[in-house]
Amino acid sequence: MIQRFQRFSSAVSSLYRDMQKIERTEMAKYGLKGPHVQCMLALSDYPEGITAAQLCEICEKDKAAISRTVAELETAGMVECLEKNGVRYRAPLKLTKQGAAAARAVQKRTLQAVRQAGEGLDDEKRKIFYEVMGLIAGNLHTICQEGLK
């Protein structure tokens, strides 16, 4: 059982490190960092804009992390806040034209990475993989919330 845990843990860590490296590499082209990828891709799905609270939920990040990321993206000219009468509280955020172009390029590269990473998987194996990963992720989330039984 311990070996299975070690194998699983090592594989997940390796996947995460490699994903972070791909994100860092792609975002460096825009003078940004890897953590900006999720935020930009999420915002690209909502061209009319979404609030920071919605972005937290979609990206599964805490408010402080999203606030830092949005501030950095605004400084870089990738995101704008659609203030109402100068009020930023709960104002929607959206990608600028520059941000939307960057998000499209990053999305293209992430799709390429996913396609290459899944080489050798047929549709049935891919479906099973995502079902299993979702089940494990859900179970681990429950353990973190409720503790081990």
Side-chain angles (χ1 to χ4, degrees):
M1 189 65 114
I2 296 290
Q3 288 177 343
R4 191 169 80 185
F5 173 79
Q6 289 170 332
R7 184 175 175 199
F8 177 78
S9 181
S10 292
V12 169
S13 293
S14 178
L15 287 168
Y16 187 65
R17 275 191 314 274
D18 291 339
M19 287 172 43
Q20 286 180 314
K21 184 175 182 180
I22 292 167
E23 288 175 345
R24 278 192 311 272
T25 301
E26 291 306 312
M27 295 314 287
K29 297 172 185 174
Y30 304 97
L32 298 169
K33 300 174 186 166
H36 298 118
V37 170
Q38 267 190 323
C39 190
M40 288 182 67
L41 293 180
L43 286 168
S44 71
D45 287 338
Y46 298 90
E48 71 286 350
I50 57 173
T51 65
Q54 290 170 308
L55 198 53
C56 289
E57 203 172 297
I58 292 165
C59 295
E60 296 185 20
K61 304 280 185 196
D62 64 40
K63 186 178 176 181
I66 290 296
S67 181
R68 279 189 305 275
T69 299
V70 167
E72 291 166 355
L73 289 170
E74 280 186 289
T75 299
M78 300 288 183
V79 169
E80 62 184 335
C81 180
L82 304 174
E83 299 175 17
K84 295 179 183 172
N85 301 324
V87 178
R88 294 177 60 92
Y89 183 69
R90 293 189 181 177
L93 303 163
K94 70 179 259 181
L95 292 173
T96 61
K97 286 183 182 181
Q98 178 185 357
R104 282 191 301 274
V106 169
Q107 187 173 43
K108 182 178 176 182
R109 296 290 288 169
T110 57
L111 289 173
Q112 182 182 1
V114 168
R115 195 170 33 257
Q116 283 183 247
E119 283 182 10
L121 289 177
D122 60 30
D123 289 342
E124 183 62 24
K125 286 180 183 174
R126 185 175 290 107
K127 179 182 174 192
I128 291 169
F129 170 78
Y130 283 112
E131 285 177 9
V132 169
M133 284 299 288
L135 180 62
I136 291 171
N139 289 342
L140 288 173
H141 185 73
T142 299
I143 291 167
C144 290
Q145 297 297 314
E146 299 173 6
L148 292 170
K149 295 178 184 175

